[in-house]
Amino acid sequence: MANLRAGLIGLGMMGRHHARVIREVEGVDLVAVADAYGDPHGVAKDLPVLNSVEELIAAGIDMAVAAVPTGMHEEVGLALADAGVHTLVEKPIAASTAAGKRLLDAFTARGLVGAVGHIERFNPALQSLRKRIADGELGAVYQIATRRQGPFPSRIADVGVVKDLGTHDIDLTAWLAQSHYESIFAQTTTRSGRPHEDMVSATGKLENGIITNHLVNWLSPMKERLTVVTGEKGAFVADTVTADLTFFENGTVATEWDSIGAFRGVSEGNVTRLAIAKPEPLRTEHEAFRDAVLGLRSDVVTMAEGLETLVVAEAVLESCRTGQSVRITI
């Protein structure tokens, strides 16, 4: 079988990584790249740098990655859909839920694979965590809390921290819990002088009763990417920077310290850092996209899921504006 012909539009900070990984994935050839602003990272190599999505399509591609700014996702995605090109769009799916819905409808109507680049789902720590939750290793799940903090990323200009970073946590939380969001309450602040929010604290509830908490900002001098899932048998802590997964077990040994022993909740037990394979998440994501195009599997983040994540993100922003909890309606 001939290799799939892949195109890439957007050669910025994320585009350069996509270009590298596409070239590494078996069964896929990177045959065309495009960016109206050139190739600042030199990722094109022997390929000419095209100027538009139309030129990319004219190169005769089967599949594409759109790593353009969020505000361009709809325009570029619709052009690719009209041309019959399977497409992976970087997250969030679009700048608004209305635009995201138009993208979803276009790819669905043409029977194309439309995927959204919520890469955290492919982090090995979270992949292992999801399987362990599904296998009952944690028992009933009570809470999923995330912390995603770090310095401002120079690559971002057209959205705030909620749609850029917060969508990671919204997506991975619903995916880990296998449940939709029911409601969300949030507060944001803007301290950097930019037009968009740069810090958010959100608390929510999923339809299955799990409560959630998300702390997200790009104002911190340290980088932190943690997901803590607490349940009946203990807590899992996934560090997606290092792809480490640690299990804190509920203890069964009674304490001899009377003032603590009087507490009738859980106690500290064994702490186990789990040994897991650590493939690169972006490569795993691309392999899933390739296989979806070939009809071999369907574990990509679909545009329907990407749209639902954006609905929750916009509910976060609505809650910040109104000071009220927002019920999620999909």
Side-chain angles (χ1 to χ4, degrees), residues 137-143 228-236 247-251 266-267:
E137 292 186 25
L138 197 55
V141 177
Y142 303 150
Q143 181 187 57
V228 182
V229 182
T230 304
E232 181 182 8
K233 299 179 182 180
F236 280 106
F247 181 51
F248 292 77
E249 184 179 359
N250 285 348
V266 302
S267 59

Side-chain angles (χ1 to χ4, degrees), residues 74-144:
E74 181 184 11
E75 174 189 348
V76 169
L78 290 178
L80 290 164
D82 287 342
V85 178
H86 305 285
T87 302
L88 170 65
V89 179
E90 261 303 337
K91 61 84 203 158
I93 184 174
S96 68
T97 53
K101 180 65 163 57
R102 288 189 288 270
L103 278 177
L104 170 60
D105 290 346
F107 280 87
T108 301
R110 292 162 179 80
L112 297 169
V113 175
V116 184
H118 285 289
I119 193 172
E120 288 285 53
R121 281 203 200 181
F122 299 94
N123 188 286
L126 293 179
Q127 293 251 314
S128 178
L129 174 53
R130 183 173 184 269
K131 184 178 186 304
R132 293 171 187 276
I133 292 172
D135 288 345
E137 292 186 25
L138 197 55
V141 177
Y142 303 150
Q143 181 187 57
I144 300 177

Side-chain angles (χ1 to χ4, degrees), residues 108-241:
T108 301
R110 292 162 179 80
L112 297 169
V113 175
V116 184
H118 285 289
I119 193 172
E120 288 285 53
R121 281 203 200 181
F122 299 94
N123 188 286
L126 293 179
Q127 293 251 314
S128 178
L129 174 53
R130 183 173 184 269
K131 184 178 186 304
R132 293 171 187 276
I133 292 172
D135 288 345
E137 292 186 25
L138 197 55
V141 177
Y142 303 150
Q143 181 187 57
I144 300 177
T146 66
R147 300 201 304 271
R148 186 174 301 272
Q149 308 178 91
F152 179 77
S154 57
R155 62 185 172 80
I156 297 300
D158 58 347
V159 293
V161 73
V162 171
K163 289 187 177 179
D164 178 55
L165 293 183
T167 49
H168 279 308
D169 294 314
I170 293 166
D171 177 75
L172 73 85
T173 296
W175 175 70
L176 286 173
Q178 289 297 282
S179 180
H180 306 288
Y181 276 78
E182 178 182 284
S183 61
I184 197 84
F185 174 78
Q187 295 191 37
T188 60
T189 189
T190 302
R191 300 290 180 176
S192 62
R194 300 178 179 89
H196 302 288
E197 80 288 343
D198 41 37
M199 178 177 283
V200 62
S201 175
T203 183
K205 185 177 182 181
L206 305 183
E207 289 179 355
N208 63 2
I210 294 174
I211 59 174
T212 71
N213 184 265
H214 309 300
L215 295 177
V216 189
N217 75 70
W218 51 40
L219 297 177
S220 297
M222 80 290 188
K223 187 173 183 178
E224 183 180 44
R225 304 283 188 270
L226 290 181
T227 299
V228 182
V229 182
T230 304
E232 181 182 8
K233 299 179 182 180
F236 280 106
V237 178
D239 185 329
T240 54
V241 173

